[in-house]
Amino acid sequence: MENSIATKKSSLMQLIPVMLCFFAMGFVDLVGSASNYVQKDLGLTDAQANLFPSLVFFWFLIFAVPTGMLMNRIGRKKTVLISLAITAVSLVIPLFGEGYWLMLAAFSLLGIGNALMQTSLNPLVSNLISSDKLASTLTFGQFVKAIASFLAPILCAWGATTLLPTFGLGWRILFVIYAVVCLLSVAILGATPIEEERPDKASGIKECLKLLGNPFILICFIGIMCHVGIDVGTNTTAPKIIMERLALSLEEASFATGLYFIFRTAGCFAGAFILRYMKPKLFFGISVLMMAASMAILLTAHTLTAIYVGIALVGFGNSNVFSVVFSQAITAMPNEKNEVSGLMIMGLFGGTVFPLAMGYAADAFGQAGAVCVMAAGVIYLLYYTLRIKNFK
């Protein structure tokens, strides 16, 4: 009995720094708010501005699978620490200016750091939690991550409206705050002992990519692409829909991004408990139907209330998609967790594909064109719902 209590306490003390890392993982979502302010400051088109979030998620395509191999060599915890260090550097760069190329460099490093972090942090959780609780624990991690995402547009607006005359940083104060938290995460995780399972074999890129030959792993991979594409797309496009249809300023419309993250945060928090009692297939299906309703609203709405309802629905519905898809993939192939994790995080490349397509569609057809691109991702997730397995 005493050993059981000691084990639970040890696990809790290990989960706390891991959850702080999930908060740091949420820093990647600042790109949506930041890109809108960069667009305004530099007078960029939608296609040019959407290059920022696209560039961030491009690096997931390049680094996710090699990170899975790196974990096999040095372990998951050390890989997470490296990712946090890279993220900290990316957050310091914008403090030296806000030129186009400087911001491209910062967002590139942010994407590289986040690719390493998401690939290594999720399987690190599997060392601390049993497989039947993995989906709900990852969902709670996404809830913590969503708090950082939710705070980003608030901090940007606060900095832009109150701090510009005083410090000259304006909305970039966000980078200062998150850089401090990132360094704190490095210190706490580095001091926390975590016993990791060692891989049976070292794998190469070819062996990892071969796993996409498994039909279920492939549909999970595409599901992750659609999830993050919708996430980044809504993050970036929500204020633009309001500005286009209601002629509000960016500062007034930026609450739309905050609203999205409020409901995504609430969805993650609720999902952490619901997934302990409801089968993933049913909960996932309900979530995707909410997203489908939101796409219909965002295509047709011309009042602020209706647009807010659409944003809230996609925020709540999309909040648990990653956790369910990721846990489905990693549970389907438990002997290749590192490799499968690398592949799933490579699917975050959808955050590059969707915003680019949405930017061109918006330039050609208005923001309704951008919503149509996201709607295609929702249709795929409806198909994926039919393929979900109920693992024991």
Side-chain angles (χ1 to χ4, degrees):
M1 183 68 177
E2 290 181 358
N3 287 338
S4 176
I5 295 174
T7 300
K8 288 182 179 179
K9 286 183 178 179
S10 175
S11 179
L12 178 62
M13 294 306 295
Q14 291 170 326
L15 274 176
I16 290 174
V18 167
M19 288 301 153
L20 184 59
C21 292
F22 269 103
F23 186 85
M25 186 191 292
F27 297 170
V28 72
D29 290 320
L30 66 83
V31 67
S33 299
S35 64
N36 286 329
Y37 283 94
V38 174
Q39 180 179 13
K40 178 185 176 182
D41 292 344
L42 302 181
L44 307 176
T45 66
D46 279 345
Q48 290 173 323
N50 280 14
L51 178 61
F52 289 113
S54 295
L55 183 63
V56 166
F57 289 94
F58 167 76
W59 299 108
F60 287 88
L61 177 67
I62 305 299
F63 282 95
V65 170
T67 301
M69 297 160 51
L70 178 65
M71 285 191 291
N72 284 339
R73 293 181 178 275
I74 68 172
R76 296 164 186 168
K77 176 184 168 181
K78 288 182 180 178
T79 307
V80 173
L81 290 172
I82 292 173
S83 73
L84 289 168
I86 296 173
T87 301
V89 173
S90 75
L91 294 169
V92 171
I93 289 177
L95 304 182
F96 296 96
E98 53 183 298
Y100 188 73
W101 292 104
L102 192 71
M103 296 306 295
L104 282 178
F107 287 156
S108 291
L109 282 176
L110 181 64
I112 293 170
N114 208 261
L116 270 68
M117 194 182 309
Q118 298 219 35
T119 305
S120 53
L121 186 57
N122 288 297
L124 183 62
V125 174
S126 69
N127 285 116
L128 309 175
I129 298 296
S130 60
S131 60
D132 61 321
K133 298 293 189 297
L134 182 59
S136 61
T137 304
L138 289 178
T139 294
F140 187 77
Q142 291 297 308
F143 161 69
V144 175
K145 173 180 179 286
I147 295 174
S149 304
F150 159 68
L151 289 175
I154 296 175
L155 292 172
C156 277
W158 172 63
T161 56
T162 63
L163 295 181
L164 183 58
T166 305
F167 297 104
L169 289 174
W171 59 270
R172 287 178 294 146
I173 191 66
L174 169 70
F175 292 90
V176 176
I177 296 170
Y178 280 1
V180 172
V181 176
C182 195
L183 293 173
L184 182 63
S185 300
V186 172
I188 295 177
L189 180 64
T192 303
I194 297 178
E195 184 177 348
E196 300 181 37
E197 58 194 13
R198 300 301 303 171
D200 295 330
K201 55 181 174 52
S203 56
I205 293 178
K206 184 177 180 181
E207 288 75 16
C208 290
L209 294 177
K210 269 187 177 180
L211 295 179
L212 288 175
N214 182 309
F216 186 69
I217 297 299
L218 178 61
I219 65 168
C220 288
F221 174 81
I222 300 174
I224 293 288
M225 286 191 68
C226 292
H227 154 72
V228 74
I230 296 166
D231 182 62
V232 177
T234 306
N235 183 2
T236 305
T237 303
K240 296 177 183 178
I241 294 175
I242 294 175
M243 288 189 290
E244 177 185 85
R245 298 179 189 174
L246 302 177
L248 297 181
S249 68
L250 174 58
E251 286 74 20
E252 293 171 308
S254 63
F255 176 72
T257 303
L259 181 70
Y260 170 73
F261 285 119
I262 288 173
F263 279 87
R264 201 182 80 170
T265 303
C268 289
F269 183 75
F273 298 98
I274 294 173
L275 280 168
R276 289 179 176 265
Y277 305 102
M278 184 181 291
K279 290 186 177 180
K281 190 168 189 173
L282 176 60
F283 184 60
F284 192 90
I286 294 171
S287 298
V288 177
L289 287 175
M290 293 176 68
M291 295 167 66
S294 76
M295 293 299 110
I297 293 171
L298 293 177
L299 275 172
T300 58
H302 284 80
T303 66
L304 188 61
T305 300
I307 294 172
Y308 279 168
V309 170
I311 293 169
L313 283 172
V314 71
F316 196 93
N318 202 29
S319 58
N320 297 288
V321 170
F322 175 85
S323 300
V324 173
V325 176
F326 186 91
S327 63
Q328 286 273 306
I330 207 169
T331 305
M333 303 191 75
N335 294 326
E336 287 89 15
K337 287 182 181 179
N338 289 351
E339 293 83 353
V340 171
S341 176
L343 285 175
M344 292 304 105
I345 301 306
M346 188 172 74
L348 296 183
F349 177 65
T352 293
V353 177
F354 274 69
L356 279 178
M358 290 168 65
Y360 286 112
D363 285 341
F365 305 106
Q367 298 306 323
V371 175
C372 286
V373 175
M374 292 193 292
V378 174
I379 292 171
Y380 178 84
L381 291 176
L382 286 170
Y383 160 74
Y384 180 83
T385 305
L386 303 176
R387 302 295 300 275
I388 290 178
K389 301 178 182 180
N390 289 315
F391 292 107
K392 293 182 179 180

